[in-house]
Amino acid sequence: MPGKAAEKVAGAVASQEIAVVPDHFVGITPKVAVKEGDSVQAGSVLLYDKNHPEVKILSPVSGEVTAVARGERRKLLYVSVKANGQETQADLPKISTSGKKEEVAEAIFAAGFGALIRQRPYDVVANLANMPKAIFVSAFDSAPLAPDYNFILKGEEANLQAGLTALSRVAKVYYSVSPATSPALRNMKDVEVNEFVGKHPAGLVGVQMNHLDPVNKGEYVWSMNVQDVAMMGRYINSGKLDLTRKIAVAGAKVKDPAYVTVLAGSKIGDICRDNLIRDEHLRIINGNPLTGLRASEEDALSPFAAQVTVIAEGDETDEMLGWAMPRLKKFSSTRLFATKLQQAFCKNRTYDFDARICGGERAFIMSGEYDRVFPMDILPEQLVKAMIARNLDHMEQLGAYEVAPEDFALCEFVCTSKIETQRIVREALDYMRKELE
């Protein structure tokens, strides 16, 4: 795809208001710890999980709580904080690496970093009561237009090492790299380093788990984004809570694709302002094109998004005869277009995608096309059918404990039946968790 971010930092984004959105933290039942008008410091608790109070979501800035917004049935939509420009910090516990694993894990959660850890099974925010047998950290991202962590983490190697060391006191850490990973990021201690070669989804922790240490019934595995690990290490080394991160602003409809320094919860409109090509309707994506959330300029940046992607919506595009034309500039995962032949001779060619799905949902075809893009020892089509049928026994037998919706993103992309596979997987995992926990 065109529009990959250049290796430069375009600047820092300073949104006046930072919003914390509970829906970004899958699996928690949010309980508000503040009310409108309260003054908070960086590190003050805004939300916590009602069922697991040790899971805390902290304010990244000092300021005043301006809104506790609720929707239908009083569902909590977001909590927003207006920054006051000061850098006062609430008292937070230190994360020591010398204690028992339970003590280190409790300190990580008490400092607010537990909310950034994902747990399998069910791909939800980690539960401190479910201590993991292993923790996975991937030092590279293979998704379309993904950020380059060699660039993002340059100069952060000591912080990354501190974060990895802390995690290694909780469980064995599998640290995954690619051939392009720089020596500075590759040479980490207290972890098992494994190299993965290939295109997407090689960078997904689900693929890495399946090949290195699969998740069985009764077992738990955690994963954490490599930049979040470095952010935790920054807190360990300095004692200061600095939740700023670098994200890529990318896509064909971005004038100057580059990196920006930003806080999670910043308004996407502030991140993209004056940098969009507005010659047609745009699709703004809170994340990457395969797994990101459709967003507006008023939405808040997800703490799990390493990029903001902007492409054409495609609703103003007219193509004569549609798929029946032997097109030369349109991507195809099959032999439908002549571009399939071009890919054999020009493997690095890029295609300009828009948001159209070019078809409608129809009966699920068991064609084997999922297997071509699903490099895990799992039968994806059979598992998805079991999930649609809510057959818990078959879901368990077919490997539902170790998958996440993102693992099926390419399956959804190539699906000729236009099945919303990621939605099906998310709903099925939520159903399993409700029935089995």
Side-chain angles (χ1 to χ4, degrees), residues 324-376:
M325 291 288 286
R327 303 187 184 279
L328 299 176
K329 297 182 180 181
K330 195 175 184 66
F331 175 84
S332 174
S333 62
T334 64
R335 294 182 176 84
L336 179 62
F337 299 123
T339 46
K340 192 66 177 177
L341 182 62
Q342 291 177 339
Q343 293 167 26
F345 297 98
C346 185
K347 297 184 182 298
N348 295 323
R349 176 169 181 175
T350 60
Y351 297 89
D352 190 0
F353 292 87
D354 55 33
R356 292 175 297 161
I357 63 173
C358 299
E361 188 172 350
R362 57 185 66 87
F364 195 170
I365 302 172
M366 300 289 287
S367 61
E369 61 187 352
Y370 284 13
D371 297 284
R372 293 189 290 108
V373 296
F374 195 84
M376 299 169 67

Side-chain angles (χ1 to χ4, degrees), residues 97-148:
T97 58
S98 59
K100 297 179 181 180
K101 66 178 184 179
E102 290 82 6
E103 295 172 344
V104 176
E106 287 174 4
I108 290 173
F109 276 74
F113 294 100
L116 300 176
I117 301 175
R118 303 297 284 259
Q119 168 194 292
R120 299 199 191 193
Y122 312 128
D123 187 42
V124 294
V125 172
N127 180 356
L128 188 55
N130 300 330
M131 292 298 289
K133 67 170 183 174
I135 301 174
F136 280 77
V137 178
S138 180
F140 71 104
D141 192 339
S142 56
L145 304 179
D148 183 354

Side-chain angles (χ1 to χ4, degrees), residues 40-52:
V40 295
Q41 298 174 302
S44 296
V45 179
L46 298 180
L47 309 171
Y48 61 91
D49 187 354
K50 181 179 179 180
N51 299 321
H52 305 285

